[in-house]
Amino acid sequence: MRYSPTLVDHFLHPRNAGLMREPDAVGEDEYAGCGDLARFFLRVREGRAAEVRFQTYGCGPTIAAASAGSELAAGRAVTDLAELGAQEIEHALEGLPEDRKHAADVVAGALRAAARDYLGRRNGDREGGAGNV
Amino acid sequence: MRYSPTLVDHFLHPRNAGLMREPDAVGEDEYAGCGDLARFFLRVREGRAAEVRFQTYGCGPTIAAASAGSELAAGRAVTDLAELGAQEIEHALEGLPEDRKHAADVVAGALRAAARDYLGRRNGDREGGAGNV
Amino acid sequence: MSRHVYLDHNASTPVHPEALAEMLPYFSEVYGNASSVHAFGREAREALDRGRERIAASLRVKPDEIVFTSGGTESDNFAIKGVALARGRGHVITTQIEHHAVLRAVEWLETQGFTATYLPVDSYGMLDPDEVARAIRPDTILISVMGANSEVGTVQPLAAIGAIARAHGVPFHVDAVQTFGKVPMDVVAMGIDLLSCSGHKIYGPKGIAALYVRKGTKMVAIQHGGEHERRRRAGTENVAGVVGFARAVEIRARDMAEEAVRVGALRDRLWQGIRERVPEVRLNGHPTQRLPGTANLVYRGVESESIVLGLDLKGIAVSAGSACTSGSVEPSYVLVAMGIPVEWAMGSVRHSLGRSTTAEDIDYVIESVVPLVARLRTSLPVGAA
Amino acid sequence: MSRHVYLDHNASTPVHPEALAEMLPYFSEVYGNASSVHAFGREAREALDRGRERIAASLRVKPDEIVFTSGGTESDNFAIKGVALARGRGHVITTQIEHHAVLRAVEWLETQGFTATYLPVDSYGMLDPDEVARAIRPDTILISVMGANSEVGTVQPLAAIGAIARAHGVPFHVDAVQTFGKVPMDVVAMGIDLLSCSGHKIYGPKGIAALYVRKGTKMVAIQHGGEHERRRRAGTENVAGVVGFARAVEIRARDMAEEAVRVGALRDRLWQGIRERVPEVRLNGHPTQRLPGTANLVYRGVESESIVLGLDLKGIAVSAGSACTSGSVEPSYVLVAMGIPVEWAMGSVRHSLGRSTTAEDIDYVIESVVPLVARLRTSLPVGAA
Ligand SMILES: Cc1ncc(COP(=O)(O)O)c(C=O)c1O
Ligand SMILES: Cc1ncc(COP(=O)(O)O)c(C=O)c1O
């Protein structure tokens, strides 16, 4: 098999797939030139990702990467997720073939975007609040 | 085998090969661009080839063609040999591959040359004689 | 994964056991070089000549009109570049849905100062012969149209195109790699001047193919060296390959009609089974002018590669219309040329049936694909968000 | 004709039984297209990758520096045209004694506006590296020199030539079709940038070969189509061929040194046996820098083809240095380049020994050739007339 058993397992049984109602943050990334797309929803409690859900469109590795990404993001500090690297996703999948590295890229990108969306909103609140002080 | 059993037999056991002392006629032909060469010697009695010998240099089919040519020339009228066609040689060998047709050409050419050499010498004699009348 | 179902016969096929059996002596027993004049060489030459005659007979052409090559790609390259380079310059007509072996060869000619027209096709993948007639210019030197498309199976109106080519005195090349041995062809009646066909698509070995070149067609060699193949293609001849190819061709000629009916019925069973149970699926290609064993399906909103992977994990081999290699995916250029919307075209899956395919195989594929598509769609609906 | 003696191993060889055995499953069992992503394709891909690794290991290079092709001729064409067309114009250096696959490819480049120098060799068929150095010009884009000559077996001073090429920054191609697997080679130490090698000359199958392309060598594909072989050579890969080739290469690596000694001794026995009993015979080629199994003899005044035929009728396969095809014979261009007089060169006969050759074979050849040459000479002495 080209793909690790872990990747295959995520593909066959994706964790945390689907929409989230009223998320605290949403982030999306698309792989340039490629149709692959991932979107993550975060529910944040005390600066941590309490709940993570995703939607994705793409080849098997992208689906698996999104599932693995949702698992490793859960419980993590949002500030931490804002700097998430693709290698961590790839590591969680026990490797990716050279021509499928974009699966990790697009998922890491979407998670970072969601985290930054949250941090941006909070900053916006604070800034807004600061104006009222 | 590419070659007929008759051809192979002539190649393995060439008839009438070798020099002739004091022949009545000699003829030679060479295949243009190809190293193949045949030379025929005739001893003529009453307008017929009483004895035929040849020398040749060339590939197997040329050697065989010379041998076959020497056999079919023996006993023939020299005027007849002066018009000998390559097809007759080829026929005597039971065929030649397309790329070895030159074997028959060069042998027929050498036999014609020998016959014409004889006829030329005789004409020379007669013309010389006529001047004396 | 206990079950194995191979529905990728348009990619490659197993060598027919009879073809393999006939090839075997030509590896270690009859091993002479067919150019050698001694007995070992002549034995090889005889097998080669005989192979040429057998393939020529099946195409109903003359043996010396067959040139052996190393594959469909080489045959296509040879036909296109060989004719074009013999002219030096001019205009080539082809279609937007050719195999890359043709497209890239024509594109290369464009870099060498030739010009080219890539004709569109309709939504069935069919070329309109009138388009060909309109595209012909005084400097047109070649028309190259595939016999049948490998992705969707649409069979082109070759006879009509051939008649136009003949009327204009333009050489006509047909890439018949997916056509020869699958649907009836009459090379002469169709006015074909050059025809590519290949071993491994029709149960012959990989690494051997042929180009038919009608006598009198002006072309030059593109692989230079010794004087093999009547100086048209240099290189020691692959005798075992030719023998296996020849046998495979004969077997196809024998079995083609019967197989077409059997495989066509299985393909219909597949399509019926899926359309009844999966919403938003469509079948691409022409309803009647098509290869019997090819079913190209698209599932809206689902990416093909995830279906290929899902089925692969069930032991089923199909192929994605669009392949994401080296990071760049396009929807299949064939489907795009047919005007299939991109969100559909990204989800195309080709099933190509063959000799070994059974009704049980088909039912297993249907059983496997239905929940797979459902899962891929329901849990991962980006479009719906 | 009861006895069969094959002394034409430079023309082609039987597939080694171990190589054939390893190939067999890749015809009808593992038949996927190596470009397909499903399990059937991956199995084929693994065999292909593994084959590439095995051949790379034997050459001590990296697997992705190996490109598979259909034969030595294609490898030579690809190396020469691929490098030249990447540059667009320039000057190519080669020798007068290359195989036609190289000569004709370089000649073709000349028709495309490139220039070429064909270097002479000495009377042993040896190229002087200084000649190479002197021929290099600012616009020289390629040096192509064969590893060993197929007719006379002379092995060229590759390391010296490679050093010169490297010093001038000119890519160095070696046609090693007759060299690889027969004499030790060190691709990297010899400064070789491109190396052609082929299956059927070393007990692998016909129809498969490779080109080593050192990483960083600038070249373009010449066979266009799909993205196989890292976009360097389009076309479905011949998996069975690669597997058989890889095994053959490994066997050669294992047996080469021992075989060289054994076969070299048999060749000496042949030459001694003949020279003692036949007047006016000479051995062509280099006394020490040579392939172990090649003996090129010339018999003064006798035409080679009649010897080939005479031996053929005894079941012995040898080859003529000069071949009279399509009506035109030249003496071997290799012998002419070596300065062998024409009346000698027309009588050259190549004996190429191999794995199966025995001392009995050699004695039988000597016994057969002695009376044959005598008969051809005594009964048919044109020169003497
Ligand atoms: C229509 C068509 N032409 C050409 C080819 C090229 O054949 P190959 O990859 O065997 O060289 C193929 C197969 O992939 C094909 O389907
Ligand atoms: C030195 C050399 N180069 C190239 C070739 C061409 O190989 P092939 O005929 O297998 O394509 C040969 C074999 O004939 C050869 O001896």
Side-chain angles (χ1 to χ4, degrees):
Chain A
M1 191 54 180
R2 266 183 102 204
Y3 303 123
S4 74
T6 306
L7 188 156
V8 168
D9 185 59
H10 277 289
F11 170 72
L12 287 176
H13 312 286
R15 284 62 127 172
N16 308 310
L19 265 175
M20 180 187 288
R21 280 164 205 273
E22 296 173 26
D24 295 320
V26 185
E28 199 172 289
D29 196 16
E30 194 168 354
Y31 190 70
C34 183
D36 281 19
L37 186 149
R39 182 185 296 154
F40 276 84
F41 306 95
L42 303 182
R43 191 159 334 275
V44 182
R45 292 288 171 267
E46 299 173 9
R48 293 184 177 271
E51 197 189 337
V52 186
R53 295 193 80 79
F54 72 89
Q55 294 179 313
T56 190
Y57 172 83
C59 54
T62 302
I63 295 168
S67 168
S70 74
E71 277 199 326
L72 66 80
R76 285 271 273 276
V78 177
T79 47
D80 194 10
L81 290 180
E83 307 301 329
L84 187 74
Q87 323 80 273
E88 198 178 333
I89 307 284
E90 187 183 342
H91 190 74
L93 292 171
E94 290 170 2
L96 278 170
E98 202 51 53
D99 59 357
R100 290 294 177 279
K101 301 278 189 209
H102 68 270
D105 289 335
V106 72
V107 163
L111 273 166
R112 282 197 305 269
R116 286 167 189 178
D117 178 46
Y118 176 78
L119 297 174
R121 289 189 199 196
R122 213 189 41 178
N123 282 347
D125 287 354
R126 199 194 294 155
E127 276 158 20
N132 282 340
V133 170
Chain B
M1 193 52 182
R2 265 182 104 205
Y3 303 123
S4 74
T6 306
L7 188 157
V8 168
D9 185 59
H10 277 289
F11 171 71
L12 288 175
H13 312 287
R15 282 65 124 172
N16 308 308
L19 265 176
M20 182 186 287
R21 279 164 205 274
E22 295 173 28
D24 295 320
V26 184
E28 199 174 289
D29 196 16
E30 195 169 353
Y31 190 70
C34 182
D36 281 17
L37 186 148
R39 181 184 297 154
F40 276 84
F41 307 93
L42 303 182
R43 192 160 333 277
V44 183
R45 291 291 169 265
E46 298 173 12
R48 293 186 176 269
E51 198 190 335
V52 185
R53 295 194 78 80
F54 71 88
Q55 294 180 313
T56 190
Y57 172 82
C59 55
T62 302
I63 296 167
S67 167
S70 74
E71 276 197 329
L72 66 80
R76 286 269 275 273
V78 178
T79 47
D80 193 11
L81 289 180
E83 307 301 328
L84 186 76
Q87 322 81 271
E88 197 179 332
I89 307 284
E90 186 182 345
H91 190 75
L93 293 170
E94 289 168 4
L96 278 170
E98 201 53 52
D99 59 357
R100 290 295 177 280
K101 301 280 190 210
H102 68 270
D105 289 335
V106 72
V107 163
L111 273 166
R112 282 195 305 268
R116 287 169 189 176
D117 178 46
Y118 177 78
L119 297 175
R121 291 188 197 197
R122 212 189 41 178
N123 282 347
D125 289 351
R126 197 194 295 153
E127 277 158 20
N132 283 341
V133 171
Chain C
M1 180 167 91
S2 53
R3 206 176 167 111
H4 292 273
V5 177
Y6 186 73
L7 294 190
D8 204 9
H9 289 83
N10 287 10
S12 199
T13 57
V15 177
H16 194 293
E18 289 175 31
L20 178 57
E22 198 175 327
M23 289 169 74
L24 280 185
Y26 295 91
F27 290 108
S28 309
E29 293 161 43
V30 181
Y31 53 80
N33 186 314
S35 297
S36 301
V37 298
H38 47 63
F40 296 80
R42 289 194 308 273
E43 258 184 293
R45 163 71 47 194
E46 267 155 39
L48 187 66
D49 287 348
R50 194 71 201 91
R52 198 186 307 277
E53 284 162 19
R54 293 159 75 184
I55 291 169
S58 177
L59 281 164
R60 274 161 294 151
V61 301
K62 293 180 212 77
D64 61 8
E65 294 177 318
I66 299 292
V67 182
F68 289 115
T69 73
S70 67
T73 298
E74 188 187 335
S75 289
D76 286 343
N77 274 259
F78 179 28
I80 291 165
K81 298 174 186 175
V83 167
L85 295 179
R87 302 297 189 101
R89 61 211 170 83
H91 170 244
V92 177
I93 297 172
T94 187
T95 81
Q96 294 171 3
I97 62 164
E98 297 301 305
H99 190 269
H100 281 131
V102 167
L103 290 177
R104 299 280 177 265
V106 175
E107 287 165 13
W108 181 80
L109 286 180
E110 289 188 282
T111 70
Q112 305 295 304
F114 293 83
T115 55
T117 300
Y118 302 86
L119 294 175
V121 293
D122 69 14
S123 62
Y124 297 119
M126 185 71 86
L127 175 65
D128 179 353
D130 289 347
E131 292 267 12
V132 178
R134 277 193 293 273
I136 292 177
R137 310 188 321 204
D139 68 337
T140 301
I141 55 170
L142 181 67
I143 297 167
S144 179
V145 175
M146 71 200 318
N149 183 274
S150 49
E151 271 186 49
V152 298
T154 303
V155 175
Q156 301 299 338
L158 298 178
I161 300 166
I164 292 165
R166 194 53 58 89
H168 288 81
V170 178
F172 179 33
H173 168 243
V174 173
D175 174 356
V177 167
Q178 293 291 353
T179 327
F180 179 57
K182 297 186 184 177
V183 291
M185 298 199 69
D186 188 328
V187 169
V188 175
M190 287 172 165
I192 297 171
D193 297 296
L194 303 117
L195 179 131
S196 306
C197 56
S198 171
H200 77 99
K201 305 285 188 184
I202 51 167
Y203 310 96
K206 295 177 176 67
I208 188 74
L211 183 70
Y212 157 75
V213 183
R214 194 174 61 78
K215 214 166 211 146
T217 307
K218 206 177 137 191
M219 72 188 301
V220 294
I222 62 166
Q223 180 162 309
H224 301 99
E227 307 195 339
H228 310 84
E229 299 290 297
R230 302 177 145 244
R231 307 190 187 195
R232 289 176 300 190
R233 199 270 186 186
T236 297
E237 299 90 343
N238 177 355
V239 180
V242 166
V243 169
F245 184 20
R247 181 55 166 262
V249 163
E250 287 176 345
I251 296 169
R252 286 311 296 168
R254 182 188 76 198
D255 299 347
M256 184 171 77
E258 207 175 310
E259 271 289 287
V261 172
R262 196 186 71 82
V263 155
L266 289 174
R267 170 196 171 277
D268 292 344
R269 182 188 187 105
L270 177 72
W271 169 229
Q272 291 305 333
I274 290 178
R275 79 189 302 186
E276 280 165 16
R277 298 172 59 189
V278 179
E280 295 205 271
V281 56
R282 60 181 274 183
L283 175 67
N284 294 310
H286 198 279
T288 58
Q289 300 305 302
R290 57 175 179 78
L291 296 178
T294 303
N296 185 296
L297 306 185
V298 282
Y299 302 94
R300 189 169 183 285
V302 181
E303 207 243 18
S304 353
E305 280 200 76
S306 53
I307 299 187
V308 172
L309 178 57
L311 292 183
D312 184 31
L313 293 167
K314 290 274 188 180
I316 299 166
V318 296
S319 87
S322 66
C324 178
T325 43
S326 36
S328 97
V329 156
E330 305 106 53
S332 149
Y333 66 96
V334 173
L335 297 182
V336 168
M338 289 163 61
I340 312 287
V342 170
E343 73 267 28
W344 284 89
M346 294 295 284
S348 82
V349 180
R350 177 184 74 186
H351 311 70
S352 47
L353 288 56
R355 278 186 68 232
S356 64
T357 312
T358 64
E360 292 70 45
D361 287 348
I362 295 301
D363 294 344
Y364 178 65
V365 173
I366 297 168
E367 274 161 39
S368 304
V369 84
V370 170
L372 173 66
V373 171
R375 174 165 64 75
L376 289 171
R377 273 182 176 159
T378 55
S379 63
L380 317 160
V382 163
Chain D
M1 180 167 91
S2 53
R3 204 174 169 111
H4 292 273
V5 176
Y6 186 74
L7 294 190
D8 205 9
H9 289 83
N10 287 10
S12 199
T13 58
V15 178
H16 193 291
E18 290 175 30
L20 178 57
E22 197 174 327
M23 290 170 74
L24 281 185
Y26 295 92
F27 290 108
S28 308
E29 294 160 42
V30 182
Y31 53 81
N33 186 314
S35 297
S36 300
V37 298
H38 47 63
F40 295 80
R42 288 193 309 272
E43 259 183 293
R45 163 70 49 194
E46 268 154 38
L48 188 66
D49 288 348
R50 193 72 200 90
R52 198 186 307 278
E53 284 161 18
R54 293 160 74 185
I55 291 168
S58 178
L59 281 165
R60 276 162 292 152
V61 301
K62 295 180 210 77
D64 61 9
E65 294 177 317
I66 300 292
V67 182
F68 288 115
T69 71
S70 68
T73 298
E74 188 187 335
S75 289
D76 287 343
N77 274 257
F78 179 28
I80 290 165
K81 298 174 186 174
V83 167
L85 295 179
R87 301 297 188 101
R89 61 211 170 82
H91 170 245
V92 177
I93 297 172
T94 187
T95 80
Q96 293 171 4
I97 63 163
E98 297 301 305
H99 190 269
H100 281 130
V102 167
L103 290 177
R104 299 279 178 267
V106 175
E107 288 165 12
W108 181 80
L109 287 179
E110 289 188 281
T111 70
Q112 306 295 305
F114 294 83
T115 55
T117 301
Y118 302 86
L119 294 175
V121 293
D122 70 14
S123 62
Y124 297 119
M126 184 72 85
L127 176 64
D128 179 354
D130 288 347
E131 292 268 10
V132 178
R134 277 193 292 273
I136 292 178
R137 310 189 320 205
D139 67 338
T140 301
I141 55 171
L142 181 67
I143 297 167
S144 180
V145 175
M146 71 201 317
N149 184 273
S150 50
E151 271 185 50
V152 297
T154 303
V155 175
Q156 301 299 339
L158 297 179
I161 300 166
I164 292 165
R166 192 56 55 90
H168 288 80
V170 178
F172 179 32
H173 169 242
V174 173
D175 174 355
V177 167
Q178 292 291 354
T179 327
F180 179 57
K182 297 186 184 177
V183 291
M185 298 198 70
D186 189 327
V187 170
V188 175
M190 287 172 164
I192 297 171
D193 298 295
L194 304 117
L195 179 131
S196 306
C197 57
S198 170
H200 77 98
K201 305 284 188 184
I202 51 167
Y203 310 96
K206 295 177 177 66
I208 188 75
L211 182 70
Y212 157 74
V213 183
R214 194 175 59 78
K215 215 166 212 149
T217 307
K218 206 177 138 193
M219 71 187 303
V220 295
I222 62 166
Q223 179 161 309
H224 300 100
E227 307 194 339
H228 310 84
E229 299 289 298
R230 304 177 144 241
R231 307 189 187 196
R232 290 176 299 190
R233 199 270 186 183
T236 298
E237 300 90 344
N238 178 357
V239 181
V242 166
V243 169
F245 184 19
R247 180 57 165 261
V249 163
E250 287 176 346
I251 296 170
R252 286 312 296 169
R254 182 189 76 198
D255 298 349
M256 185 171 77
E258 205 175 312
E259 270 290 286
V261 172
R262 196 186 71 83
V263 155
L266 289 174
R267 170 195 169 280
D268 292 344
R269 182 188 189 104
L270 177 72
W271 169 229
Q272 292 305 333
I274 290 177
R275 78 189 303 188
E276 280 165 15
R277 298 171 59 189
V278 179
E280 294 207 271
V281 56
R282 59 181 273 182
L283 175 66
N284 295 311
H286 198 278
T288 59
Q289 301 304 303
R290 58 176 177 78
L291 296 178
T294 303
N296 185 297
L297 306 185
V298 282
Y299 302 94
R300 188 168 184 286
V302 182
E303 207 243 19
S304 352
E305 281 199 76
S306 53
I307 298 187
V308 172
L309 176 59
L311 292 182
D312 184 31
L313 293 166
K314 291 273 188 182
I316 299 165
V318 295
S319 86
S322 67
C324 179
T325 43
S326 37
S328 98
V329 156
E330 306 106 53
S332 149
Y333 66 95
V334 172
L335 297 182
V336 169
M338 289 164 60
I340 313 285
V342 171
E343 73 267 26
W344 284 89
M346 296 294 284
S348 83
V349 179
R350 178 184 74 186
H351 311 71
S352 47
L353 286 57
R355 277 185 69 233
S356 65
T357 312
T358 64
E360 291 71 43
D361 287 348
I362 295 301
D363 295 343
Y364 178 65
V365 173
I366 297 167
E367 273 161 41
S368 304
V369 86
V370 171
L372 174 66
V373 171
R375 173 165 62 74
L376 289 171
R377 274 181 175 161
T378 53
S379 61
L380 317 159
V382 163

